[in-house]
């Protein structure tokens, strides 16, 4: 189904209370409109980002047992349409500030060691779902492209025209995956097959589906992300 612009009625603090998570980085909220106007949000976002970056750790975030999976709670949201992708022609491109640009077929990606995690996926709309994701660590793919020392941000391009950008530290987190499995089964097209982002360190709108290209850059471009360019918080960390 197509997603109409969601109503941002929950602050991140409220959202994380719902999901059972807390964090000092929520002292200043620039995600929702309940407590801050858009102008105030834009004013405080740089400070929020610094706080969130300080709180980000490369240590694994606690996961859930298999028994906690909530298969019916992961809603299907798309900003426009679900693209049709020919798996025989699909290639994941990694380029930009790298010394060895790469292209991976799905067969090559699935030959990497499988990493599986059971985490809570949190949507800014106010719902959450515990999901098991399986795939390859993004850091392993990026390392093969030999990123340059000046790479600070990572852009993700999707087959449906969606675009996102992350800080490099979040992209290299050990639980940030490019996934092709959901709950132990092949990833459905509606959930982003053949390849999507999944991570416990970002809100759902940062976790792009149908990813076809990953580009490392040394600075943020004017277009930061589909929803961010419409007023959402950029860092969107948990």
């Amino acid at each position: 189904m197509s997603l109409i612009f969601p109503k941002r009625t929950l602050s991140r603090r409220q959202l994380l209370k719902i999901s059972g998570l807390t964090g000092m980085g929520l002292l200043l909220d620039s995600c929702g409109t309940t407590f801050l106007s858009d102008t105030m949000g834009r004013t405080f976002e740089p400070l929020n980002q610094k706080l969130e970056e300080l709180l980000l750790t490369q240590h694994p975030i606690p996961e859930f047992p298999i028994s906690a999976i909530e298969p019916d709670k992961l809603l299907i949201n798309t900003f426009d349409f679900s693209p049709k992708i020919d798996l025989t022609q699909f290639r994941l491109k990694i380029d930009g500030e790298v010394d060895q640009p790469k292209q991976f077929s799905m067969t090559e990606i699935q030959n990497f060691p499988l990493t599986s995690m059971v985490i809570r996926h949190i949507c800014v709309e106010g719902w959450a779902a515990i999901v098991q994701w399986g795939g390859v660590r993004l850091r392993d793919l990026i390392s093969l492209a030999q990123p340059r020392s000046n790479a600070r941000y990572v852009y993700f391009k999707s087959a449906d025209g969606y675009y996102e950008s992350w800080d490099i530290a979040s992209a290299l987190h050990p639980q940030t995956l490019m996934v092709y499995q959901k709950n132990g089964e092949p990833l459905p097209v509606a959930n982003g097959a053949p390849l999507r982002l999944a991570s416990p360190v970002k809100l759902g709108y940062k976790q792009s589906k149908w990813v076809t290209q990953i580009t490392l850059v040394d600075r943020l471009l004017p277009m930061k992300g589909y929803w961010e360019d419409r007023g959402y918080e950029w860092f969107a960390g948990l």
Side-chain angles (χ1 to χ4, degrees):
M1 65 178 183
S2 295
L3 174 65
I4 299 173
F5 282 14
K7 296 179 180 179
R8 296 161 58 195
T9 56
L10 292 178
S11 71
R12 178 113 57 81
R13 183 181 300 156
Q14 291 172 310
L15 193 62
L16 296 185
K17 282 182 179 178
I18 290 173
S19 66
L21 300 173
T22 59
M24 287 180 64
L26 309 178
L27 290 175
L28 292 175
D29 188 307
S30 64
C31 186
T33 57
T34 302
F35 299 110
L36 291 175
S37 67
D38 287 342
T39 300
M40 289 291 287
R42 287 192 295 269
T43 300
F44 284 109
E45 183 168 350
L47 180 55
N48 277 14
Q49 180 181 332
K50 293 300 182 183
L51 288 171
E52 290 173 309
E53 287 176 344
L54 288 172
L55 290 171
L56 179 67
T57 171
Q58 292 296 308
H59 295 302
I61 292 171
E63 299 178 16
F64 296 87
I66 296 290
S67 59
I69 293 173
E70 300 171 316
D72 298 326
K73 289 192 175 182
L74 183 66
L75 303 184
I76 296 173
N77 282 342
T78 61
F79 88 108
D80 193 1
F81 67 99
S82 296
K84 294 181 179 179
I85 298 174
D86 184 349
L87 290 181
T88 64
Q89 300 297 317
F90 175 83
R91 296 293 184 274
L92 175 66
K93 299 177 182 179
I94 303 180
D95 58 13
E97 293 296 332
V98 298
D99 290 330
Q100 296 290 330
K102 294 292 183 182
Q103 293 191 28
F104 298 101
S105 68
M106 279 307 300
T107 298
E108 291 171 323
I109 289 172
Q110 291 172 348
N111 282 336
F112 285 92
L114 174 67
T115 298
S116 181
M117 62 183 180
V118 181
I119 62 170
R120 179 179 276 116
H121 177 96
I122 300 176
C123 180
V124 74
E125 292 176 292
W127 58 267
I130 297 175
V131 186
Q132 181 186 36
W133 300 111
V136 58
R137 288 187 176 93
L138 178 55
R139 68 194 300 177
D140 293 342
L141 297 177
I142 289 178
S143 68
L144 292 175
Q146 299 180 21
R148 297 170 183 159
S149 59
N150 64 333
R152 296 184 57 203
Y153 303 97
V154 183
Y155 272 80
F156 301 93
K157 179 182 177 181
S158 297
D160 64 340
Y162 197 78
Y163 58 98
E164 256 303 341
S165 63
W166 288 35
D167 58 293
I168 189 71
S170 295
L172 298 181
H173 189 278
Q175 289 163 294
T176 295
L177 308 182
M178 300 304 303
V179 304
Y180 50 84
Q181 289 184 2
K182 186 191 82 168
N183 297 335
E185 301 290 337
L187 182 68
V189 171
N191 291 127
L195 208 57
R196 68 164 290 160
L197 269 167
S199 178
V201 302
K202 295 290 186 185
L203 285 169
Y205 65 87
K206 302 292 288 187
Q207 301 181 36
S208 301
K209 299 186 286 186
W210 308 298
V211 176
T212 59
Q213 186 172 353
I214 299 171
T215 302
L216 279 66
V217 297
D218 60 354
R219 69 197 70 182
L220 277 176
L221 305 177
M223 297 175 65
K224 297 180 176 65
Y226 180 83
W227 290 114
E228 293 87 333
D229 292 342
R230 289 155 175 80
Y232 276 38
E233 181 188 5
W234 175 76
F235 194 85
L238 294 172

